[in-house]
Amino acid sequence: MAENNDPHALGIESIGGLLLKYSIPAIIGMTITSLYNIIDSIFIGHAVGPMAISGLAISFPLMNLVVAFCMLVSAGGSAIASIRLGQKDTDGATSVLSHTVMLCLINSLVFGLLSFFFLDDILSFFGASNTTLPYARDFMQVILLGTPFTYVMIALNNLMRSTGYPKQAMLTSIVTVLINIVLAPIFIFWLEWGIRGAAMATVVAQFVGMIWVLHHFTKKESLVHFRRGFWRLSRSITSSIFAIGMAPFLMNACSCIIVILINNSLQTYGGDMAIGAYGIINRLLTLYIMIVLGLTLGMQPIIGYNYGAQKMDRVKLTLKLSIISALIITSSGFIICELFPHAVSAMFTNSKELIGIAASGLRICVFMFPLVGAQIVISNFFQSIGKAKISIFLSLSRQMVYLLPCILLLPPQFGLNGIWMSMPVSDGLAFITAVTSLIVYFKRLRLKGC
């Protein structure tokens, strides 16, 4: 597919046009991926039953850890590659490419194998009961064996986008998801593999996606492509990748801790059905969060390039448009979930009990959801300009500073509703923290004359 791959246009073309050019493909890719997860859960809920939905919910913390170790490399590599290109350093961006692949393989093998061998103990610690453990185990065994494919595919797809190929990156997501959607019902219904079939469809699709992105970076006509010396690792580049990638890593790792606490609290105050309800709520809200993350993926190369080129007016305009767009996205999610909670919950299951618990929880959980989009954009802004410490702080603030105490304090007072209430309270406080950090940062820039 032919595509205008001149990254230096990031410093010249209109910000609105660039944000559309880079974000729309990313948003489409992330939306399709999230829709697949929803469709996959619908298949599992109707084919296997409500306890399978609960089993999927039990696997969420481990899935967050899978993503965390991938983003540790992927996010850092993408941000550094964009900054290098903004500095006209193509060789530096190429070196980041090779480091990203090697570090992804190392991370996936170490994390995947360790998790596989201790899987039952991990899932039990995450809140699995004797009823839900077999479903969670069947799903995660396959996912963990496929982590090398997953890591390389995600990391190189993000690098493809940040080095000037947003449409190609979008196609990667579309291809993998379409394969997934075709294979999932075959594996789940026709071959009768159940929840394991859903995981197998995911891994096969990601293997195809990995081949797709590897092919792109082997072509010499690609601006950044594999060269000799691929296997050499530099301590300075590795440490830079990990430093910037630490923010999304910690965010996902903390999400793991929080979901463990939520699952165990749900088990105490509502049982397996409440965990299944949380699985439904999580899937629905993740759709809108993934759309915002797609927006930030498109924002990142624009901000990274212009920050590297010291064009701060363009950086500020990109941030402003991204925040407005994110607010619109999460506000639409708030409206739909508040108006039609039973209808959207009923997509996943025929169980009236599960639908009722999910609908009630959903209305409470989304109370401050319109603000979530802006908080995500601001956190990713600091990541995009290489301000790792601020990005890490903002990533941790919602999970550890606000949500953790709420999960510990509110359920004893309000029962199951206290768990749902914890989320909007932490969302509002995290938004205030993010906006305050942004104001302080730009005030300091003005004092420096930037």
Side-chain angles (χ1 to χ4, degrees):
M1 175 182 170
E3 185 173 356
N4 178 13
N5 61 340
D6 179 13
H8 304 305
L10 292 168
I12 301 170
E13 295 182 5
S14 72
I15 295 299
L18 285 170
L19 197 57
L20 287 173
K21 176 182 176 182
Y22 277 78
S23 292
I24 292 300
I27 288 172
I28 291 173
M30 298 293 273
T31 302
I32 290 173
T33 301
S34 188
L35 284 174
Y36 163 73
N37 289 329
I38 290 175
I39 293 169
D40 200 28
S41 296
I42 292 171
F43 286 153
I44 291 171
H46 288 281
V48 188
M51 285 300 102
I53 295 289
S54 298
L56 275 181
I58 291 297
S59 72
F60 285 165
L62 191 51
M63 290 294 290
N64 282 335
L65 278 180
V66 170
V67 173
F69 280 95
C70 180
M71 294 305 291
L72 179 62
V73 177
S74 174
S78 298
I80 295 172
S82 293
I83 293 172
R84 293 287 185 274
L85 289 175
Q87 296 167 340
K88 308 295 192 295
D89 182 10
T90 305
D91 290 338
T94 301
S95 183
V96 170
L97 166 66
S98 60
H99 279 70
T100 299
V101 174
M102 290 299 300
L103 293 172
C104 275
L105 289 173
I106 294 170
N107 274 11
S108 64
L109 290 173
V110 173
F111 172 76
L113 290 175
L114 284 175
S115 300
F116 186 87
F117 287 121
F118 298 99
L119 185 57
D120 277 14
D121 292 333
I122 292 170
L123 293 174
S124 296
F125 178 69
F126 287 176
S129 66
N130 291 333
T131 304
T132 57
L133 178 61
Y135 296 109
R137 181 202 301 127
D138 286 350
F139 185 78
M140 286 310 304
Q141 280 179 338
V142 178
I143 294 296
L144 289 172
L145 290 175
T147 49
F149 310 141
T150 303
Y151 279 33
V152 173
M153 188 273 289
I154 292 175
L156 289 189
N157 199 44
N158 287 341
L159 271 173
M160 186 187 296
R161 182 181 301 105
S162 65
T163 54
Y165 296 85
K167 292 181 181 178
Q168 289 278 54
M170 176 188 70
L171 277 177
T172 307
S173 299
I174 291 175
V175 168
T176 54
V177 169
L178 287 178
I179 292 172
N180 218 329
I181 290 175
V182 170
L183 292 181
I186 295 174
F187 291 171
I188 295 171
F189 294 103
W190 188 49
L191 296 179
E192 298 182 348
W193 288 352
I195 197 169
R196 191 182 290 273
M200 185 67 72
T202 298
V203 171
V204 171
Q206 289 172 343
F207 175 78
V208 175
M210 182 190 70
I211 299 301
W212 174 283
V213 292
L214 283 173
H215 175 68
H216 168 82
F217 285 106
T218 57
K219 297 186 295 184
K220 290 186 177 180
E221 56 266 32
S222 298
L223 179 66
V224 178
H225 57 271
F226 295 126
R227 299 180 186 177
R228 291 182 179 179
F230 172 77
W231 302 106
R232 299 172 188 167
L233 290 178
S234 159
R235 180 177 296 180
S236 62
I237 295 177
T238 300
S239 60
S240 296
I241 288 174
F242 283 156
I244 295 177
M246 189 59 66
F249 168 79
L250 289 175
M251 183 176 67
N252 283 285
C254 289
S255 294
C256 171
I257 296 171
I258 294 299
V259 175
I260 292 170
L261 290 173
I262 290 174
N263 281 344
N264 281 280
S265 189
L266 287 168
Q267 189 66 254
T268 300
Y269 293 98
D272 289 332
M273 279 293 187
I275 293 176
Y278 177 63
I280 291 173
I281 293 169
N282 204 334
R283 281 284 191 253
L284 290 170
L285 299 188
T286 297
L287 170 62
Y288 295 96
I289 291 173
M290 291 288 275
I291 295 172
V292 174
L293 289 175
L295 172 68
T296 64
L297 286 173
M299 172 192 81
Q300 182 264 321
I302 304 170
I303 286 180
Y305 183 96
N306 285 286
Y307 181 80
Q310 291 298 297
K311 297 182 178 181
M312 294 306 296
D313 287 342
R314 293 175 64 81
V315 170
K316 293 176 183 177
L317 181 56
T318 305
L319 175 62
K320 177 182 177 181
L321 292 177
S322 298
I323 289 175
I324 293 171
S325 301
L327 286 170
I328 293 171
I329 292 167
T330 47
S331 294
S332 66
F334 165 79
I335 293 170
I336 291 173
C337 292
E338 284 289 350
L339 293 180
F340 310 106
H342 285 84
V344 294
S345 300
M347 293 190 303
F348 294 86
T349 178
N350 294 323
S351 170
K352 292 183 179 180
E353 180 184 0
L354 183 54
I355 293 170
I357 297 172
S360 176
L362 184 60
R363 274 187 162 162
I364 299 172
C365 286
V366 300
F367 189 70
M368 299 293 288
F369 197 60
L371 304 179
V372 171
Q375 193 269 340
I376 293 173
V377 167
I378 293 171
S379 178
N380 279 271
F381 162 74
F382 286 110
Q383 177 188 314
S384 299
I385 63 174
K387 301 295 181 182
K389 291 181 180 179
I390 304 176
S391 183
I392 290 171
F393 168 72
L394 294 179
S395 298
L396 292 178
S397 64
R398 179 187 182 272
Q399 306 286 353
M400 304 305 290
V401 179
Y402 305 127
L403 186 54
L404 177 58
C406 288
I407 291 295
L408 296 176
L409 296 175
L410 294 181
Q413 300 297 321
F414 302 99
L416 184 58
N417 282 341
I419 302 174
W420 308 136
M421 289 164 58
S422 301
M423 299 175 200
V425 171
S426 58
D427 288 339
L429 293 173
F431 170 77
I432 294 171
T433 303
V435 171
T436 302
S437 300
L438 192 64
I439 292 171
V440 170
Y441 173 74
F442 280 116
K443 279 187 175 181
R444 288 179 177 176
L445 277 186
R446 282 197 292 270
L447 290 174
K448 293 178 181 179
C450 296

